[in-house]
Amino acid sequence: MTRSLSGRYTPLSLPPNIDYVRSSTLELCYQEIGRKKLTGSVAELGVYKGDFAKKINALFADRKFYLFDTFKGFNNADIALDQQNNYSTGAQNFSNTSIELVKSKMPHPDQCVFKKGFFPDTANDVTDLFCFVSIDTDLYKPVYEGLLFFYPKLVPGGYIFIHDFNNKFYKGAKEAVTNFCNEQGISYVPIADNWGTAIITK
Ligand SMILES: C[S@@+](CC[C@H](N)C(=O)[O-])C[C@H]1O[C@@H](n2cnc3c(N)ncnc32)[C@H](O)[C@@H]1O
């Protein structure tokens, strides 16, 4: 990582991306995890075509990487809850993907464990601890369930990114984060990437 004349950090190890803030914050958290010599696996809940997942896999090359997704779009019960609460329409279609497509993009596919289907059901047999988790499922219920599942498994010093924290089209993500944090008595940091991300640490 280098510092440009404007004072902005330029990530060296990641390919250029339109979401500079999210990618660079991931890289800085990765460096902190290394500096603190944290143990644990990494995960993404809400993978779609694997665009953020490939960055996680590139950085955390020596960590087991869990990828949770239906790989056929939103669940109807999750959509219904969002609609009832006017969080979102749930109309976006994320079904045009597959494990094969995502796996083909991963720089270290041998580290990947694909968990296809409805989360949290797909997490029943996962007992790992985690040092980094990305939650990007858009809707209230899977974001909340993701925090319920991953926060107790986060090692001290680890990070959970929750995308869409300031997305006016998916208001359930912020609601899930704030409800969870209030219930647990924990805090988060919002960052100014595209659509907003909240970061929880321990
Ligand atoms: C916005 S996309 C993820 C985008 C991805 N992180 C990226 O960087 O391009 C949201 C994904 O969450 C998945 N998802 C939403 N609710 C889910 C649930 N309950 N179980 C599993 N996957 C879910 C959808 O299938 C969809 O692929």
Side-chain angles (χ1 to χ4, degrees):
M1 185 156 295
T2 57
R3 198 161 198 175
S4 70
L5 289 178
S6 65
R8 269 194 137 187
Y9 283 101
T10 308
L12 292 178
S13 55
L14 293 173
N17 185 282
I18 51 163
D19 201 334
Y20 170 88
V21 173
R22 193 174 173 209
S23 298
S24 298
T25 307
L26 168 67
E27 186 158 342
L28 290 171
C29 289
Y30 159 76
Q31 289 179 355
E32 287 297 302
I33 287 167
R35 190 181 60 77
K36 291 185 275 189
K37 297 186 172 32
L38 302 187
T39 57
S41 300
V42 298
E44 182 165 60
L45 165 57
V47 173
Y48 186 39
K49 292 185 176 177
D51 288 342
F52 197 58
K54 70 185 175 196
K55 295 174 184 167
I56 298 171
N57 187 229
L59 286 169
F60 293 96
D62 56 352
R63 310 251 180 184
K64 195 193 283 189
F65 181 27
Y66 287 89
L67 298 95
F68 293 92
D69 206 298
T70 61
F71 296 98
K72 51 184 188 181
F74 292 142
N75 172 272
N76 285 338
D78 293 343
I79 293 173
L81 190 100
D82 255 50
Q83 290 175 340
Q84 280 161 26
N85 291 286
N86 288 318
Y87 294 147
S88 76
T89 63
Q92 222 174 334
N93 185 353
F94 290 105
S95 64
N96 58 340
T97 186
S98 67
I99 289 179
E100 294 67 34
L101 173 78
V102 174
K103 196 170 186 179
S104 73
K105 295 181 179 180
M106 293 300 130
H108 307 288
D110 293 350
Q111 297 285 21
C112 296
V113 181
F114 287 88
K115 303 293 279 181
K116 177 175 175 158
F118 176 66
F119 184 93
D121 296 356
T122 46
N124 280 340
D125 60 348
V126 177
T127 56
D128 296 38
L129 296 177
F130 292 86
C131 62
F132 178 83
V133 178
S134 163
I135 299 177
D136 188 9
T137 49
D138 301 354
L139 310 181
Y140 179 93
K141 191 76 190 324
V143 171
Y144 187 81
E145 292 288 346
L147 290 169
L148 269 184
F149 178 78
F150 285 111
Y151 186 72
K153 295 180 168 55
L154 191 69
V155 300
Y159 301 94
I160 303 178
F161 281 22
I162 308 100
H163 197 228
D164 297 301
F165 185 73
N166 275 305
N167 187 338
K168 65 182 177 183
F169 299 109
Y170 286 107
K171 295 193 283 281
K174 178 179 261 177
E175 197 71 14
V177 171
T178 53
N179 284 348
F180 181 81
C181 287
N182 287 340
E183 288 157 15
Q184 302 284 326
I186 58 175
S187 303
Y188 55 81
V189 177
I191 64 165
D193 60 340
N194 295 340
W195 306 115
T197 285
I199 301 178
I200 292 175
T201 190
K202 214 183 217 181

